[in-house]
Amino acid sequence: MDVSKIRLIAFDLDGTMTQHKSKLSPEHRAVLDALAKKYTLLMAGAGMCRRIFNQMEEYPISILGNYGLQEAVYDPEKKDIALVKDAILPCDRASVEERVTALREKYGYTEYVGDNVEYHASGCVTFPILGTKADINDKLAFDPDRVKRRKIYADVCETFPEYTVFVGGSSSFDMAPKPYNKYYALDLYCKEHGYAHDEVAYVGDDYGMGGNDESVYLSDFNFVTIDDYRDFPKVMKPFL
């Protein structure tokens, strides 16, 4: 990567600059402040823009949410974000239920707590292996190294060809309607805002098989890997 060419830095949030679902620390906020003096900064998330903005304690940054189904810009006067894109795509729930049930029966995941499937307003879907109301400790203990889910990942992808499938959270598969994923979202943003791919650096931790950063990692975008969010200041030091 030629750092001198970089104009835009895009970030994942959970595991990259914060612990999962935790707030942005003052130390990491200061790193973003320093980067913002030299680069345009952008969040590229799997969740909704509002959730990302709140988790970052209302940091002034533009956000791509729901794999690009949402886009929000920061309004400095209101000190808030405004959605400029909020796509809602249809979902054939009956078909999804049938296919998730078939996968449960095939791999022995027929016991679960809560609902069989979690549906999101955007059209994204979550296949929660332990159910939507499973105990958090059970979820954390289920597949910490993702080995169980990666064994059946290819089959889940084949079963849901109209979705991009991610090994999500601690015990689920997240699915976004194709062509939406982080690469698609970032590429579209670059086209709309005039950035070449070699002028962009993406920072993410979930770049392994089925990870929601994998599509960017395997692309021609410059990718900066991070494996511990506490290393965020050290990882970003070359850009400062």
Side-chain angles (χ1 to χ4, degrees), residues 47-64:
M48 297 177 67
C49 292
R50 177 61 60 182
R51 183 192 71 76
I52 294 168
F53 184 64
N54 289 342
Q55 186 177 339
M56 294 185 72
E57 299 197 312
E58 303 181 350
Y59 189 83
I61 194 168
S62 292
I63 303 169
L64 303 177

Side-chain angles (χ1 to χ4, degrees), residues 147-168:
V147 169
K148 292 179 182 178
R149 284 171 292 166
R150 283 177 173 159
K151 282 183 179 178
I152 67 173
Y153 176 69
D155 198 1
V156 178
C157 291
E158 186 176 342
T159 302
F160 290 93
E162 76 273 36
Y163 288 93
T164 303
V165 180
F166 309 99
V167 179

Side-chain angles (χ1 to χ4, degrees), residues 104 133 194:
R104 288 188 181 282
K133 297 188 182 300

Side-chain angles (χ1 to χ4, degrees), residues 12 20 38 47 55 67 70 73 108 121 125 131 154 160 176-177 192 197:
D12 171 58
H20 185 64
K38 297 181 65 176
Q55 186 177 339
Y67 304 105
Q70 281 190 338
V73 296
V125 172
F160 290 93
E192 293 175 346
H197 285 200

Side-chain angles (χ1 to χ4, degrees), residues 118-130:
E118 182 179 0
Y119 299 98
H120 305 278
S122 61
C124 293
V125 172
T126 298
F127 168 14
I129 294 176
L130 302 183

